[in-house]
């Protein structure tokens, strides 16, 4: 007996399911289709009426945003496999849909009525022209989705044709007629899939076909009946589809004319990221506004009421206002605030441009990653302005290329910003000694900013220009005019420069300059110009021989200003002072303690002050080696060598190896030479390194390898090392001959050379060789540790009785030689 269903229960269940499935009033549903073509993937979204989605690509993420929350078909999209679209996620409460795409992929999107179509192609391949979707298909025919019932196949075998046509993609497949709706076994809206023979979960043979190329409801090619009942594709077997595609491809190849194959790229280089867009014009006068307070209040009011993207735009407007007013510290804080508001990609790019402008305004030392430096300036005047300002502090030769365009554009800039930028350009031209460029900048200062530069800035740069033109009297007149203002950093800097110029002209002695600078130092304690005054005072101390006071000033610069906002100016002033101190120490006799005190007390500051080439530290290391402080010198040389590259590294490695050999650390010298070598070295440097290696091997006791390293090398140093190697190997006669021939190379024999030559002759039994030493050689040995050696080694007279004094002299010489031999063997 059959059980009758409960009608009430069935009706209630149906109502509950209908209520659960019905979309809420606040969130409309989105229909989606996803599929892969041969060289691109397509995502089709049918959105509710009145919704305008926006597709944006941010790196490797595709983001589709809508103004109101929607219900996205995540389950359907995640179940669909695509080679270029994956990881679908909703965000912002349903206002956006994100998906992962290949980094650098070509993405195109367009809107057709209520449907958004997004095509995602692969990344561009270097050397290959990118193809548009549908290349290779017959013109005027849509792409095929699946094949209908398999046609009959002739004598051609499927496996043979598939293998023969393997390089030909499915993009050339001919279109087919879709099955009528009544033949489709799938319900409306279900996606068509063709699965492989290994099961439904297999990805090796899993293929998802893209939707119909005209998926738009209500399109021009659709009839009224088709809008109501859209046709659905029929799933065919994989074998039938392959056969149909093969035969269609063969027929197309017969009709197509022959064309050369596309060239295969030689190297599979990774795709380069797309170049950033060019930098547009800047309305700096409009950004600044006519009234400071009124403009700032208006910007703050707009920022308080804005939301989402508009809030980021309002914050960008604030940053632009601060840039136009040359308020760098407030501008950097506003940039950080804007970055925390999750800006869109185009907004991030605008913020980066503004950030690079603030960096140029602050005279940053590393401009290579600045967009104004990386991108070509073209004909954009604002780009020339900021490019010149960014390059001016470090690379003036490149900065002055766009200087005429930059100066013309600066005429329209706000007064505060123009004054800052002109000062940066004038300072760089002054440091580079470019009088022509400085003259152009000073002329513009006189023309437009003479009133705004009443702090002595204009007179200071006019004095610097007069100095570059070798007119010191005119320079002093300008410096005195600027110093008479008694306010502002440029007035004080002009006063310091006037003292230095009078001292160089002989109108002020060293003591008078020191007194004047000391008075300025204590009168301006804490002012912006104090670093320049301290550097000038320290240089005067160094020149007058008061090295201890100069070192104190050098340490004061580092302690007081090294970590402040004036740190860069303080380090520049300290670099000048350190060079003056090293000049003084190089003129002093060897054996002093000032070089050691400089390294011990201010070693870290010396590293900070020194430039990238390490020239000041190398000079200090040379002084330490001269004064006998090899350990401190080798530490400096180690640091310089590790930070250098190329031939510079090889040269510093040779200097370090020489210091280690002189200190008795031959094994370390060999390691340094092995780590700092190279194949593309100059012959002179390569020969020097070879001699150092032979010297280190000889000192390390490896005589055979040392003599082998000297093979093919000429010159006095190679001859001396070869003679010492023969002496160490016990080849007495060869060593005696080598030392005797040393003078023939043009080198003056040293006391060690003469002593080893006499010992070689004595050990070889050459009495006549010992008698050959004349008074000149004996005088060279006098006063050294070899004094009396030739008399001790001289043979006794052939006849006559022995005298007591001769016996005592021989015994004393034997004792001295024994003590010397024990010292050579490094034994007590």
């Amino acid at each position: 007996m059959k059980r009758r269903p409960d009608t009430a229960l069935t009706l209630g269940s149906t109502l509950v399911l209908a209520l659960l499935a019905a979309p809420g009033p606040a969130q409309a549903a989105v229909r989606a289709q996803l599929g892969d073509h041969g060289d691109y993937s397509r995502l089709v979204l049918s959105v509710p009426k009145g919704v305008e989605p926006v597709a944006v690509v941010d790196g490797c993420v595709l983001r589709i945003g809508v103004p109101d929350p929607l219900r996205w078909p995540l389950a359907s999209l995640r179940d669909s496999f695509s080679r270029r679209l994956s990881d679908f996620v909703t965000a912002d409460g349903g206002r956006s849909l994100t998906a992962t795409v290949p980094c650098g992929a070509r993405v195109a999107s367009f809107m057709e009525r209520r449907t958004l179509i997004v095509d995602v192609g692969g990344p561009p391949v270097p050397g290959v022209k990118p193809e548009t979707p549908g290349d290779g298909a017959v013109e005027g025919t849509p792409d095929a989705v699946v094949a209908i019932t398999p046609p009959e196949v002739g004598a051609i075998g499927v496996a043979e044709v598939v293998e023969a046509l393997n390089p030909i993609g499915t993009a050339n497949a001919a279109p087919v007629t879709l099955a009528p709706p009544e033949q489709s076994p799938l319900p409306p809206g279900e996606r068509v899939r063709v699965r492989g023979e290994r099961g439904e979960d297999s990805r090796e043979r899993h293929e998802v076909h893209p939707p119909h190329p005209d998926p738009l409801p209500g399109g021009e090619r659709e009839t009224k009946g088709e809008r109501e009942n859209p046709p659905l594709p029929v799933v065919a077997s994989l074998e039938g589809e392959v056969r149909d595609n093969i035969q269609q491809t063969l027929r197309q190849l017969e009709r197509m004319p022959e064309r050369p194959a596309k060239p295969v790229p030689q190297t599979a280089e990774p795709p380069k990221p797309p170049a950033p867009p060019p930098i547009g014009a800047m309305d700096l006068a409009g950004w600044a506004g006519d009234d400071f307070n009124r403009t700032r209040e208006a910007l703050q009011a707009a920022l308080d009421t804005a939301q989402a993207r508009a809030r980021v735009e309002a914050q960008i407007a604030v940053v632009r206002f601060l840039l136009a007013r040359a308020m760098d510290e407030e501008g950097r804080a506003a940039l950080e605030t804007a970055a925390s508001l999750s800006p869109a990609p185009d907004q991030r790019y605008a913020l980066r441009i503004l950030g690079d402008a603030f960096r140029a305004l602050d005279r940053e030392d590393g401009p290579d990653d600045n967009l104004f430096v990386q991108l070509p300036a073209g004909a954009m005047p604002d780009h020339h302005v900021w490019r010149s300002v960014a390059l001016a502090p470090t690379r003036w030769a490149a900065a002055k290329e766009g200087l005429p365009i930059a100066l013309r554009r600066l005429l329209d800039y706000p007064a505060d910003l123009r004054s800052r930028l002109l000062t940066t350009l004038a300072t760089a031209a002054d440091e580079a000694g470019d009088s022509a460029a400085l003259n152009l900048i000073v002329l513009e200062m006189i023309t437009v900013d003479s009133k705004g530069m009443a702090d002595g800035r204009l007179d200071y740069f006019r004095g610097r220009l007069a100095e570059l033109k070798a007119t010191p009297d005119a320079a002093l007149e300008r410096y005195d005019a600027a110093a008479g203002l008694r306010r502002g950093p440029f007035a004080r800097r002009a006063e310091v420069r006037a003292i230095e110029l009078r001292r160089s002209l002989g109108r002020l002695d060293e003591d008078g300059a020191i007194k004047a600078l000391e008075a300025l130092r204590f009168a301006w304690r804490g002012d912006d110009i104090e670093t320049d005054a301290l550097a000038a005072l320290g240089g005067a101390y160094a020149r007058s021989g008061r090295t201890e006071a100069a070192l104190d000033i050098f340490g004061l610069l580092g302690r007081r200003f090294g970590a402040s906002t004036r740190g860069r100016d303080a380090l520049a002033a300290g670099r000048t002072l350190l060079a003056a101190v090293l000049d003084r120490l190089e003129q002093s006799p060897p054996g002093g303690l000032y070089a050691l005190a400089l390294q011990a007390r201010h070693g870290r500051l010396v590293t900070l002050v020194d430039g990238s080439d390490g020239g000041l530290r190398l000079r200090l290391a040379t002084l330490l080696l001269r004064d006998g402080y090899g350990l401190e010198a080798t530490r400096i040389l180690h640091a310089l060598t590790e930070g250098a590259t190329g031939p510079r590294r090889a040269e510093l490695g040779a200097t370090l190896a020489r210091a280690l050999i002189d200190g008795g650390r031959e094994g370390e010298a060999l390691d340094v030479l092995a780590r700092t070598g190279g194949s593309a070295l100059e012959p002179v440097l390569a020969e020097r390194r070879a001699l150092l290696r032979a010297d280190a091997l000889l000192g390390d006791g490896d005589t055979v390898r040392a003599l082998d390293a000297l093979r093919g090398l000429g010159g006095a140093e190679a001859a001396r090392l070869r003679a010492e190697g023969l002496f160490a190997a016990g080849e007495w006669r060869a060593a005696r001959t080598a030392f005797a021939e040393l003078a023939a190379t043009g080198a003056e024999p040293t006391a060690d050379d003469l002593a080893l030559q006499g010992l070689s002759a004595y050990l070889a039994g050459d009495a006549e060789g010992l008698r050959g030493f004349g008074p000149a050689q004996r005088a060279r040995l006098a006063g050294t540790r070899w004094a009396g050696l030739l008399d001790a080694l001289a043979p006794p007279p052939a006849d006559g009785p022995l005298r007591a004094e001769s016996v005592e002299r021989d015994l004393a010489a034997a004792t001295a030689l024994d003590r010397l031999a024990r010292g050579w063997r490094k034994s007590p």
Side-chain angles (χ1 to χ4, degrees), residues 388-412:
S388 297
V389 173
L391 292 171
T394 54
R395 287 148 54 183
W396 174 249
K400 66 181 294 186
E401 295 176 357
L403 187 61
I405 301 177
L407 292 178
R408 285 196 300 270
R409 177 57 179 152
L410 281 173
L411 294 173
D412 300 328

Side-chain angles (χ1 to χ4, degrees), residues 2-15:
K2 296 183 179 179
R3 184 178 179 181
R4 299 178 62 186
D6 191 347
T7 306
L9 179 61
T10 304
L11 182 59
S13 301
T14 305
L15 290 175

Side-chain angles (χ1 to χ4, degrees), residues 479-494:
Y479 289 150
D480 292 339
L485 298 175
R486 296 291 179 181
R487 60 183 179 87
F490 287 95
R492 313 283 174 78
R493 188 174 286 119

Side-chain angles (χ1 to χ4, degrees), residues 611-687:
S612 58
D613 58 347
L616 295 176
R617 282 178 289 169
L618 184 59
R619 292 177 61 186
L620 179 58
T622 305
L623 286 172
L624 290 170
L625 288 174
R626 184 200 68 175
D627 296 338
Y629 307 110
L631 181 60
E632 290 75 11
T634 53
R635 288 177 179 174
I636 297 176
L637 292 173
H638 265 297
L640 291 174
T641 304
E642 293 302 324
T645 57
R648 175 68 174 172
R649 178 181 174 86
E651 185 176 357
L652 289 172
T655 305
L656 175 58
R658 179 75 269 167
L660 292 172
I661 292 172
D662 294 340
R665 300 154 65 181
E666 288 83 2
E668 295 182 35
L670 290 173
D671 293 338
V672 168
L673 291 172
R675 286 187 293 105
T676 59
S679 57
L681 297 179
E682 296 182 357
V684 177
L685 181 58
E687 182 177 355

Side-chain angles (χ1 to χ4, degrees), residues 60 102-106 121-128 267-275:
C60 306
C103 297
R106 305 187 304 273
V125 180
V128 177
T267 57
E269 299 179 355
K272 297 181 179 180

